Amino acid sequence: MTESLFTRLEPLLAQVQKPIQYVGGEVNSQSKDFAAAEVRWALFFPDAYEVGQPNQGMAILYELLNACSSAPMPVGEQGDDDWLLAERTFTIWPDLAKLMRENGVPQFSWESHRPVRDFDVLGVSLSTELGYTNLLETLDLAGIPRYATDRTAADPLVIAGGHAVFNPEPVADFLDAVVLGDGEEAVLRVSALIRDHKRQGDAGREQLLLNLAKSGLVYVPSFYDVSYLPDGRIEAVRPNRPGVPARVGKQVLLELDEWQYPVQPIVPLAETVHERYSVEIFRGCTRGCRFCQAGMVTRPVRERGIQTVGTMVARGLAATGLAEVGLLSLSSADHTEIAGITGQLADRYAGTNVSLSLPSTRVDAFNIDLANELSRNGRRSGLTFAPEGGTDRMRQVINKMVSEDDLIRTVEIAFSQGWRQVKLYFMCGLPTETDEDVLAIAELAFRVIETGRRAANSRDVRCTISIGGFVPKPHTTFQWAGQADAETVNRRVRALKDKVRADRRYGRAITVRYAEGEPGMVEGLLSRGDRRVGKVIEQVWLQGGHFDGWREYFSYQRWLDAAAAVGIDLDWYTTRERSQDEVLPWDHLDLGLDRVWLWQDWVDARNGGEVADCRWAGCYDCGVCPALGVETQIGPTLRSLLPLTAGSEPVSV
Amino acid sequence: MSRQPPVQQPPPVQRVRLRYFKQGPARFASQQDFARAFERALRRAAVPMAYSSGFNPHPRISYSNAVPTGVASLAEYLEIALAQRIDPVSVQASLNRVLPGGFQIMAAVESDGTALAELLTHSAWRIDLGVDATAAVAAFLAADSVVVQRMGKAGLRELDIRAAVVALAADAGALSLRAVTGPGKVVVRPGDIVAGLAVVSPAVVSPGASLALRVAQGVWSDGRVRDPFGPEKLANDAANAGIVANL
Ligand code: SF4
């Protein structure tokens, strides 16, 4: 077994930026006996440590695979956890990567500093498309062949999961297998299959992949052939091995109260993008925003109860020493017990310097109540709301059911209760959008300031407008839509900015933030691309592209050149509207969504139709629950949190 | 819901000084990295810290003369303010159970109210050069001025480090040297000393793959760097750590 690379790495660390990120050994990191384990995962996040380490999915799988906690593990081999281990690896910054290549030091794991190629599985967490070039960069530094078909028994299985893999086709040639959906149970089951395969001796990589594919747990891209029509559209995607399912389903974890991870997340020494203990208070969202991929791919809603949340927070803080708690979900104000959770946690931690935060951009008074509760002793600086569209018509199209008057009433309450700044999120480039829809955002912001000055009885109120370019995503209502081109997006946001700036009464109280439209075109290509797009990614990486999520490394020109070099038409993949009968690259991946319902929702979007959340208004037959045999799991549990006494164990559920 | 004013924090009732080491891969942590880790360790160990008042209360910790990132140290110092009286030795023990690998508290004493920084004027260093430094050290000591370049935020700066290097000796037979640095216009770092040796002697290459260790901090008197916690403490810890801070 190869030894640690650390002695060869150490002299290089003295020559690079932020060397501490590479040394591992953080509080709560695990080092299990490598030689004794039968299935060894290198969990890989294709971005820098500072971005990847706080990732919640990585933290959960790391603990589960190392079975390091006392929390229940419904499946797997309880009591006999030495056969399984996980270490971490991240994309290495160019300064160190260059030195490593010069000195022949390969990609290493953070715990034992072993070559990543020594592991059985490279578990890739793909959360954004802009990480694809980093996937190739890290495979290369690890000495693992780029193409799955070139790998041998000496290479780890490269298995991806995360939100970007709901259309893995652009990276399909680089992956051995893909897990769709919740990873908790899936990684344990996949691990058991790998272990059984290894115990049977040398049955070969192909046989292992076949076992995995037949289990229905994973999608093995190489077991599917894609054929194309003369006009370039996909004709069909068909399995090319007997026994491989025609469609692969997503994994849905139920009873989240039984899976209380992370229990004791790693506390980084290096600075990272989030320095807090996070609890996912629920998974899934059924509000039905038509642009939102996260909501569509994580259905149905499954809550953790208030007591589970309380236990996890108490245990997590004790294990990490962190002072900030994040109550995560796609829209945290929607939890059935959120008032109790925030109020009772605020009581519990009053006077302890622990701060609580929750992501919620809901446009209503209740959301302000929550924010008030969380800022009891803090400064009331800014509140964030996400109307997403600038006009009532635009918001109807995207099914964001909030009127302009709702918004104005909400900001009025906020300003009258001491808040001095609101941040409003919008998108530009939405289906059916006109220049006027975007310019209307300025009028809305003027009304916000006018209302705020009156409600606060002060001129010291501010509004920040943050605008993102809309990119149509697979498995959403807008998956068929044509993406607005970069010029259109840029023209509209600039016109908006000019209009705001030119206004004498309100202009100075409003800040407009926006991103250029060009990166959105690349994201669009990678989001809805098919297998042919893999060549573009490869070409970009060959030309030095990596860290594409970082402004200072992203080069639009490099992507344009690469697409041209391999004969890919960017517009065909992005701005082209798809017809109902077109086979989409991800149609063989089954999230339970009824394609007929989804298409009807796309028709309704343009005809004034609205959908109300199935949690409050009844099932609207999106298809997920019956197709996957799952159900919405929400409270309220009608329980409450007891105060913690000093040094006591948290009350268990 | 009315807005409440920030909580007034009670004043500290006791101050405790800690000497800690920073060794192995942890030496790559910057001072800010250590400060974050130390605050978290204080919370995990439930040390009853005194906090600053205001909307954003911070635990009251004063750091002194942090070693440069990448340099190991057996003699880092800090002082914490406590809201409750507590035996310094128990603070030390509980912190040592929760600190990240590579950091350990080696001594804890109650503050006598003096300014800690004034007791930490000099540093003793050991630098592994990888080459025989005897001739370079002699040339360095013979020079009146040794000007080195250092990359700072505002670009390359020229520094004369000679006066602040109060003692320098090559370890006979070993490829390492000992140095003592003291107050001056600039705070001289081990990297500057290596650079200075390279200026006076072609045998030394800068920047080389040198490894540096801060062995002690304190006041320079009678040819020794005197630990502010007193000679007994130092002798004990040095024996524990297998190190003798001798020059
Ligand atoms: S099937 Fe019905 S209940 Fe289930 S997520 Fe879809 S709309 Fe909601």
Side-chain angles (χ1 to χ4, degrees):
Chain A
M1 197 58 63
T2 325
E3 303 159 37
S4 167
L5 297 164
F6 195 74
T7 48
R8 289 168 63 201
L9 185 65
E10 202 169 11
L12 310 182
L13 292 181
Q15 305 167 50
V16 302
Q17 297 287 311
K18 302 185 195 166
I20 188 65
Q21 65 186 304
Y22 302 110
V23 307
E26 306 94 321
V27 167
N28 296 335
S29 62
Q30 308 283 319
S31 15
K32 294 179 75 174
D33 184 350
F34 194 85
E38 289 179 86
V39 180
R40 295 161 295 212
W41 289 71
L43 294 174
F44 164 47
F45 194 94
D47 205 326
Y49 176 86
E50 64 195 80
V51 175
Q53 179 52 46
N55 180 268
Q56 190 80 350
M58 287 274 286
I60 292 170
L61 298 187
Y62 182 78
E63 287 191 19
L64 260 175
L65 290 168
N66 284 319
C68 64
S69 73
S70 50
M73 192 206 279
V75 295
E77 309 279 301
Q78 261 167 323
D80 169 29
D81 52 11
D82 284 344
W83 64 277
L84 201 49
L85 71 74
E87 301 196 2
R88 295 160 295 150
T89 194
F90 302 89
T91 300
I92 286 161
W93 282 111
D95 60 348
L96 180 58
K98 178 168 177 286
L99 290 173
M100 286 167 64
R101 286 192 169 94
E102 284 166 11
N103 290 276
V105 179
Q107 179 82 24
F108 52 84
S109 68
W110 255 237
E111 278 72 9
S112 61
H113 289 91
R114 266 168 222 282
V116 159
R117 201 161 176 245
D118 287 357
F119 286 74
D120 299 295
V121 189
L122 182 67
V124 190
S125 171
L126 283 176
S127 58
T128 118
E129 295 83 2
L130 294 175
Y132 291 168
T133 47
N134 278 0
L135 167 65
L136 298 191
E137 163 68 7
T138 299
L139 286 174
D140 183 73
L141 196 53
I144 300 170
R146 209 148 55 235
Y147 283 91
T149 47
D150 294 337
R151 293 179 196 140
T152 67
D155 296 299
L157 283 186
V158 180
I159 305 183
H163 273 195
V165 301
F166 291 103
N167 175 24
E169 294 304 281
V171 280
D173 290 343
F174 314 129
L175 302 175
D176 293 299
V178 176
V179 174
L180 304 168
D182 301 328
E184 285 97 334
E185 279 178 295
V187 288
L188 298 175
R189 296 220 166 103
V190 165
S191 300
L193 285 171
I194 296 172
R195 178 197 56 193
D196 295 348
H197 175 83
K198 283 182 84 173
R199 282 184 183 171
Q200 278 160 20
D202 192 14
R205 198 178 172 92
E206 157 98 10
Q207 185 59 48
L208 172 55
L209 286 169
L210 209 49
N211 294 349
L212 288 168
K214 286 179 177 170
S215 74
L217 282 169
V218 303
Y219 165 55
V220 178
S222 62
F223 291 168
Y224 296 79
D225 290 331
V226 184
S227 55
Y228 300 95
L229 297 165
D231 65 6
R233 295 183 302 159
I234 293 172
E235 181 196 44
V237 180
R238 292 190 191 88
N240 56 24
R241 304 277 194 293
V244 173
R247 301 189 76 204
V248 183
K250 80 161 174 176
Q251 309 296 313
V252 181
L253 188 74
L254 296 172
E255 307 296 347
L256 265 64
D257 281 338
E258 290 175 19
W259 298 78
Q260 301 180 3
Y261 295 94
V263 177
Q264 42 178 41
I266 288 170
V267 189
L269 252 178
E271 191 169 11
T272 61
V273 293
H274 297 302
E275 305 262 335
R276 62 173 89 102
Y277 175 73
S278 295
V279 183
E280 196 182 6
I281 60 172
F282 66 90
R283 204 170 281 182
C285 179
T286 39
R287 291 194 149 253
C289 300
R290 292 176 171 127
F291 54 84
C292 179
Q293 189 188 37
M296 289 293 184
V297 302
T298 57
R299 291 163 178 242
V301 173
R302 290 141 292 152
E303 288 185 355
R304 284 198 166 103
I306 181 170
Q307 290 196 330
T308 305
V309 173
T311 304
M312 289 179 71
V313 169
R315 216 164 35 193
L317 289 178
T320 59
L322 292 166
E324 234 186 275
V325 175
L327 303 172
L328 296 191
S329 74
L330 291 170
S331 176
S332 290
D334 292 349
H335 192 288
T336 55
E337 300 177 287
I338 193 63
I341 292 174
T342 50
Q344 292 171 40
L345 283 177
D347 287 346
R348 197 179 246 194
Y349 293 103
T352 63
N353 301 304
V354 167
S355 70
L356 304 166
S357 67
L358 58 84
S360 173
T361 55
R362 234 170 75 172
V363 185
D364 57 26
F366 178 65
N367 206 15
I368 302 172
D369 291 345
L370 292 177
N372 290 343
E373 201 60 77
L374 297 178
S375 63
R376 276 188 203 173
N377 303 317
R379 215 186 292 273
R380 288 211 175 149
S381 44
L383 271 181
T384 303
F385 300 105
E388 308 286 7
T391 56
D392 285 345
R393 185 197 73 81
M394 200 70 257
R395 287 188 291 273
Q396 174 273 311
V397 171
I398 61 178
N399 201 45
K400 192 89 194 182
M401 295 192 295
V402 44
S403 70
E404 179 163 336
D405 290 340
D406 293 337
L407 176 72
I408 294 300
R409 257 194 306 277
T410 307
V411 298
E412 183 169 16
I413 296 168
F415 284 120
S416 68
Q417 295 188 354
W419 298 88
R420 287 293 169 267
Q421 185 170 356
V422 295
K423 194 170 180 187
L424 303 177
Y425 280 133
F426 294 95
M427 278 184 293
C428 177
L430 289 162
T432 77
E433 178 186 280
T434 62
D435 290 8
E436 285 66 42
D437 286 313
V438 178
L439 279 177
I441 295 171
E443 300 293 345
L444 193 58
F446 298 159
R447 262 190 89 186
V448 165
I449 293 298
E450 190 184 81
T451 309
R453 283 176 183 165
R454 222 178 324 105
N457 196 18
S458 159
R459 285 187 65 81
D460 181 28
V461 297
R462 297 201 53 80
C463 174
T464 299
I465 298 171
S466 194
I467 302 175
F470 168 63
V471 177
K473 295 279 171 157
H475 306 286
T476 67
T477 304
F478 291 159
Q479 66 177 351
W480 290 281
Q483 183 176 346
D485 58 44
E487 295 74 42
T488 303
V489 170
N490 289 342
R491 187 186 70 242
R492 286 179 183 158
V493 292
R494 278 183 197 133
L496 167 64
K497 197 175 167 107
D498 289 344
K499 179 167 177 173
V500 168
R501 201 184 276 155
D503 193 277
R504 295 270 243 354
R505 291 159 307 164
Y506 307 115
R508 297 172 69 112
I510 300 167
T511 310
V512 182
R513 294 228 171 88
Y514 63 96
E516 299 287 329
E518 284 78 10
M521 299 307 285
V522 173
E523 195 189 328
L525 171 72
L526 300 177
S527 293
R528 291 195 293 171
D530 52 37
R531 287 193 187 180
R532 294 169 291 190
V533 170
K535 291 279 179 224
V536 185
I537 300 166
E538 181 182 39
Q539 181 67 17
V540 166
W541 175 75
L542 287 170
Q543 296 305 317
H546 49 210
F547 285 99
D548 280 300
W550 296 73
R551 192 191 293 258
E552 56 271 47
Y553 288 96
F554 177 80
S555 160
Y556 187 51
Q557 193 57 47
R558 186 154 50 208
W559 281 93
L560 291 182
D561 293 347
V566 302
I568 286 285
D569 178 358
L570 192 62
D571 288 339
W572 191 82
Y573 281 96
T574 53
T575 59
R576 180 177 64 92
E577 183 168 335
R578 279 71 160 167
S579 61
Q580 185 177 10
D581 59 355
E582 178 166 345
V583 176
L584 301 174
W586 51 89
D587 276 346
H588 57 299
L589 304 179
D590 181 13
L591 308 197
L593 288 163
D594 178 357
R595 203 178 193 271
V596 175
W597 173 80
L598 208 54
W599 177 265
Q600 188 56 47
D601 200 44
W602 172 223
V603 173
D604 291 348
R606 292 164 294 175
N607 291 335
E610 289 182 345
V611 197
D613 196 313
C614 59
R615 274 171 292 179
W616 343 111
C619 177
Y620 48 79
D621 293 325
C622 78
V624 171
C625 294
L628 302 180
V630 296
E631 57 178 9
T632 300
Q633 295 182 327
I634 57 175
T637 63
L638 306 176
R639 292 169 185 248
S640 51
L641 299 182
L642 300 174
L644 290 182
T645 49
S648 77
E649 270 296 292
V651 186
S652 62
V653 185
Chain B
M1 258 225 54
S2 72
R3 219 164 133 202
Q4 293 159 19
V7 181
Q8 270 308 114
Q9 302 284 346
V13 299
Q14 185 187 18
R15 288 173 204 274
V16 169
R17 289 175 180 171
L18 305 171
R19 180 173 63 242
Y20 64 97
F21 72 61
K22 175 183 182 187
Q23 288 194 98
R27 72 182 192 278
F28 290 114
S30 70
Q31 174 55 22
Q32 290 93 315
D33 295 334
F34 172 73
R36 274 193 313 275
F38 186 66
E39 285 187 29
R40 288 167 188 166
L42 287 168
R43 282 192 291 266
R44 284 197 299 276
V47 175
M49 292 298 293
Y51 278 80
S52 63
S53 294
F55 274 115
N56 209 346
H58 282 290
R60 298 173 66 151
I61 308 166
S62 345
Y63 301 94
S64 305
N65 302 348
V67 79
T69 305
V71 177
S73 176
L74 298 171
E76 297 300 284
Y77 293 84
L78 58 81
E79 189 171 291
I80 56 178
L82 300 172
Q84 223 174 280
R85 286 201 63 82
I86 183 166
D87 176 10
V89 175
S90 81
V91 174
Q92 175 179 359
S94 51
L95 279 172
N96 281 345
R97 277 195 290 274
V98 296
L99 275 168
F103 299 103
Q104 283 283 287
I105 312 289
M106 298 164 75
V109 297
E110 181 156 0
S111 164
D112 58 6
T114 51
L116 183 57
E118 283 171 23
L119 304 173
L120 301 172
T121 53
H122 288 71
S123 286
W125 308 92
R126 198 188 72 209
I127 303 172
D128 290 332
L129 264 189
V131 293
D132 185 348
T134 317
V137 165
F140 188 102
L141 292 172
D144 291 331
S145 131
V146 177
V147 177
V148 302
Q149 296 190 319
R150 188 200 283 173
M151 195 46 133
K153 289 213 175 66
L156 268 188
R157 269 206 304 160
E158 299 225 310
L159 315 168
D160 185 350
I161 62 166
R162 178 62 192 86
V165 177
V166 301
L168 191 65
D171 284 338
L175 306 179
S176 62
L177 56 89
R178 308 269 166 159
V180 174
T181 55
K185 277 201 219 81
V186 290
V187 176
V188 174
R189 304 171 187 163
D192 299 327
I193 297 174
V194 177
L197 291 168
V199 167
V200 296
S201 160
V204 179
V205 194
S206 173
S210 57
L211 272 180
L213 173 71
R214 170 139 71 189
V215 183
Q217 279 195 81
V219 178
W220 177 243
S221 90
D222 300 334
R224 292 183 72 111
V225 173
R226 306 275 169 189
D227 179 79
F229 293 2
E232 323 78 53
K233 273 274 171 203
L234 182 63
N236 280 339
D237 307 328
N240 288 342
I243 303 285
V244 179
N246 218 341
L247 215 109

